[in-house]
Amino acid sequence: MSGRSGGAGSALTWSALREVKCAELEQAADGWGRVSNRADAVRDRIEGELLPGLRDTQKGEAPDAAVRGLRRLGTNFQYIYTECGLLRTTLNSLAHEIKTQQRVLQGALDDAAALRFTVQADGSVTYPAAGEGLVDGKPLAGGTASGVPNPGMVPPSGLVAPNPNAGKAQDIADRVAQAVRAAADADWRYTRILRSLKAHEGLGVPVATWTDAAADAAAVRDAARGYLKDAIPHDASPAERKAWWAGLTDEQREEYLAVYPDQIGNLDGIPALVRDAANRDNLQLLMGKLEGRDDADSATKLTALREIDRQLRLVPEVGDPPMYLLGIGDQGNGRAIVAYGNPDTSRNVAAYVPGLNTSLDEEFAEGDLKRARDTAAAAREIDRSSAVITWLGYDAPQSPDGWNSLAVAGTARAEAGGRAFNGFMAGLVASNDHAGPNLTAIGHSYGSRTVGAATQQEGGIPGVTDIVLVGSPGVGVDRAEDLGVGRDHVYVGAAENDVVTKLPASEHAVISGIGRALGPVGSLVDLANGGDANLWFGTDPASEEFGGRRFGADDGPPLIAPGRVTIDAHSQYFDPELDSTSAGSIALIAAGRGHEVKQEQSR
């Protein structure tokens, strides 16, 4: 636009700024938007029609090779969609900033014309004689005021110009200079971005290209902050966010998805299909971002992201619950929210909160996601309108000492996680199509403490009518009725050999010396041989004193197995092969049929 070569100076003049045709920039943005949308449509057709059709009708090496080729092609179109979307927003944001400065400029020019001042080509303003001299009473001489690009940075001289037109002219000159300077800065910034938005040569989209795309997206996000980001209703309620999204034009939605997939994909209240689309794109950008790092934390998260990406690209078998990515991020220990079944269209929606030592790693991507998938598959056999979610939306405590460090874990993570969980569940209520969906909160291990903390927030967990606690070291309250859903809607699973369900309260631990001389293994042995109704975080949920509905669970492997110490009994509640009784009960509750669960005797 200006031929500018650096940030310090500018060849842009006010007359050139006035003549910039922002409509042409917006037309170019529309063109890139159409290309982006076509690439997205082709990608959808590849993944939604061609891949399933090929898998269902063809078998053998050649079809397998074709599937790999189609998946690669789908990734390429995803890249085209992302980069073209960034181009669209870059041009629209540039037009937005230029139009803003054109309005500032035009306001100054209009004021100059009304006062019969002359704005010179260099932006200075000539004003006529005016006022009266103190000595002879004649009009005071006119003059010329030169603009200061940043007048607030210039200290006042202390002199008062005698001609009343001088101050008015100076104000107009300053506004002209400010508009030109701001437009030139925008021109320079966006030129750099546009030059970076280009693909490597070749037909493939290697990892390095996605790394570049992540940097491109970050640059466009930063530049377009005033154009898009400031309007995202982060502080609104989920219902208000849903209404905001519904009120946007198609073009505005497309731009938000292209530039801020991380914001839209993790915004509670936004429809599940939109969040899924945004997070699938953000997943690629996150992987590209982490590829450029060599630290252990990034490597761990990258492995998990790749596994989630692999699962998302699988063509589901007939009858399998479809997979939706409702949240993803690399902050803290990592974030991932994955649904099996659409939580917006399902009458029954259950959200599972994992516990101690859970983070965005390979074990989570394989094990914790499988728990939700298995539960969803079983629940959908009971009621097809069911969805189950794995919710890693908080930093679960990480403990190299294992279960013996629950005292160190404390309640802070649970309290913070409980607040975040309530925001997510409020989003489910807002986006669900049914007037009164059946919502279930499932807490495992320390995740049960997080669910317990969520119930103690004002109003309890939004929409939740049933609570499932498995492998729980306590939930922060002493009675089931304190969880706010009624004691008959609190379900508890506690395997006989699960020592976590027998962890004594902290004061008892001190008396018995647990966690000191015996070390973690010795502590667990001690726990396996004792314990009472007082757990680390309140009364044992499986106890009669607590008053919940305990369902059956396989005893699980004993703590001291031949040749080894194991806590596997803590981890098999959701597994239909290892503990069909517990897994079946959880599925019944998730499907809204908790009243059919067979009750087990309390401890």
Side-chain angles (χ1 to χ4, degrees):
M1 183 175 72
S2 67
R4 182 175 182 170
S5 59
S10 172
L12 185 66
T13 63
W14 68 263
S15 58
L17 171 60
R18 183 179 60 181
E19 299 305 319
V20 173
K21 294 180 173 57
C22 290
E24 294 182 356
L25 289 172
E26 292 170 333
Q27 288 171 2
D30 290 342
W32 286 110
R34 287 191 292 272
V35 174
S36 178
N37 291 339
R38 284 197 293 268
D40 193 36
V42 174
R43 177 187 63 174
D44 284 346
R45 187 182 177 202
I46 289 172
E47 296 180 354
E49 298 179 22
L50 299 182
L51 280 172
L54 186 60
R55 186 210 64 187
D56 293 341
T57 60
Q58 304 291 326
K59 304 293 180 183
E61 292 185 8
D64 289 346
V67 166
R68 290 192 296 271
L70 283 172
R71 284 178 177 158
R72 183 167 60 251
L73 186 61
T75 300
N76 290 358
F77 276 111
Q78 184 173 18
Y79 174 75
I80 294 171
Y81 160 78
T82 298
E83 290 290 284
C84 290
L86 293 175
L87 279 164
R88 171 181 53 194
T89 298
T90 300
L91 292 170
N92 274 334
S93 186
L94 172 59
H96 171 77
E97 291 198 31
I98 296 300
K99 284 194 292 186
T100 298
Q101 300 312 319
Q102 284 180 326
R103 287 193 292 270
V104 173
L105 171 64
Q106 192 59 51
L109 295 177
D110 290 344
D111 288 347
L115 293 167
R116 299 183 182 278
F117 295 174
T118 300
V119 181
Q120 305 295 335
D122 64 355
S124 61
V125 178
T126 301
Y127 56 91
E132 295 181 355
L134 295 176
V135 177
D136 55 13
K138 295 181 179 180
L140 298 171
T144 299
S146 296
V148 178
N150 298 294
M153 302 295 291
V154 180
S157 64
L159 301 176
V160 179
N163 187 330
N165 283 331
K168 299 174 183 177
Q170 186 65 57
D171 174 67
I172 292 171
D174 287 345
R175 285 151 62 195
V176 170
Q178 282 181 290
V180 171
R181 177 58 184 264
D185 282 343
D187 181 29
W188 177 68
R189 285 185 284 110
Y190 285 100
T191 296
R192 293 179 64 193
I193 293 172
L194 288 169
R195 286 173 178 165
S196 71
L197 290 172
K198 58 184 180 181
H200 294 283
E201 294 184 3
L203 299 177
V205 183
V207 169
T209 301
W210 278 112
T211 301
D212 290 345
D216 292 341
V220 175
R221 280 196 292 265
D222 183 62
R225 181 178 298 273
Y227 172 58
L228 289 177
K229 185 178 181 181
D230 291 346
I232 298 175
H234 291 289
D235 295 330
S237 70
E240 290 169 335
R241 292 169 182 167
K242 180 184 179 182
W244 168 77
W245 183 259
L248 297 177
T249 65
D250 288 343
E251 181 179 0
Q252 288 172 323
R253 292 174 188 163
E254 290 163 4
E255 287 199 81
Y256 276 113
L257 287 172
V259 182
Y260 291 108
D262 58 328
Q263 304 284 326
I264 302 304
N266 291 284
L267 199 61
D268 297 326
I270 300 298
L273 290 177
V274 176
R275 293 181 69 163
D276 178 63
N279 285 315
R280 286 177 187 247
D281 291 329
N282 189 40
L283 177 60
Q284 302 303 318
L285 297 176
L286 280 174
M287 289 192 294
K289 170 186 172 182
L290 296 179
E291 283 281 1
R293 301 176 178 177
D294 57 3
D295 60 285
D297 180 64
S298 296
T300 296
K301 291 173 180 173
L302 181 58
T303 299
L305 294 177
R306 285 173 175 165
E307 173 59 21
I308 292 173
D309 182 56
R310 184 194 70 80
Q311 293 180 31
L312 287 168
R313 293 182 183 281
L314 292 176
V315 179
E317 299 289 341
V318 176
D320 282 354
M323 185 176 178
Y324 299 88
L325 189 59
L326 303 183
I328 198 72
D330 64 342
Q331 64 267 43
N333 294 330
R335 302 287 188 271
I337 306 173
V338 180
Y340 293 92
N342 188 331
D344 286 353
T345 60
S346 298
R347 284 188 301 270
N348 311 299
V349 184
Y352 148 62
V353 182
L356 189 70
N357 288 331
T358 306
S359 63
L360 187 59
D361 56 15
E362 188 172 17
E363 182 178 350
F364 168 84
E366 293 179 349
D368 287 282
L369 294 191
K370 181 179 182 298
R371 291 174 178 176
R373 186 169 60 248
D374 287 343
T375 304
R380 286 163 67 88
E381 289 183 3
I382 300 165
D383 186 336
R384 195 71 184 166
S385 187
S386 299
V388 181
I389 301 165
T390 292
W391 185 83
L392 181 59
Y394 78 122
D395 281 331
Q398 303 297 300
S399 167
D401 238 359
W403 311 112
N404 196 43
S405 295
L406 273 174
V408 177
T411 62
R413 299 289 181 93
E415 298 294 337
R419 290 189 292 271
F421 185 64
N422 278 0
F424 174 74
M425 297 304 285
L428 291 185
V429 173
S431 62
N432 191 277
D433 295 341
H434 299 273
N438 176 64
L439 301 186
T440 301
I442 304 172
H444 173 246
S445 186
Y446 188 88
S448 68
R449 179 64 183 89
T450 301
V451 168
T455 68
Q456 301 307 296
Q457 301 291 322
E458 184 177 357
I461 307 177
V464 164
T465 55
D466 295 288
I467 292 175
V468 179
L469 310 169
V470 289
S472 176
V475 296
V477 300
D478 292 326
R479 299 177 304 173
E481 53 260 40
D482 295 336
L483 296 177
V485 295
R487 60 184 295 171
D488 288 340
H489 290 270
V490 176
Y491 302 88
V492 181
E496 185 59 31
N497 290 327
D498 182 359
V499 295
V500 176
T501 68
K502 299 180 179 180
L503 287 172
S506 54
E507 62 269 22
H508 293 261
V510 172
I511 295 172
S512 63
I514 293 174
R516 296 183 294 169
L518 293 178
V521 173
S523 298
L524 292 175
V525 173
D526 189 31
L527 292 170
N529 293 316
D532 56 26
N534 295 306
L535 300 192
W536 275 116
F537 302 120
T539 302
D540 176 5
S543 69
E544 184 175 359
E545 179 183 346
F546 188 78
R549 296 186 63 188
R550 186 185 182 190
F551 56 82
D554 186 87
D555 287 350
L559 176 65
I560 308 299
R564 67 190 184 105
V565 175
T566 175
I567 55 171
D568 288 351
H570 182 65
S571 305
Q572 62 185 41
Y573 294 99
F574 300 87
D575 194 315
E577 295 183 1
L578 297 178
D579 192 345
S580 60
T581 301
S582 173
S585 295
I586 295 172
L588 268 174
I589 301 163
R593 306 267 283 273
H595 59 279
E596 297 181 17
V597 169
K598 184 178 179 181
Q599 194 162 345
E600 184 91 349
Q601 184 177 358
S602 300
R603 285 177 174 168

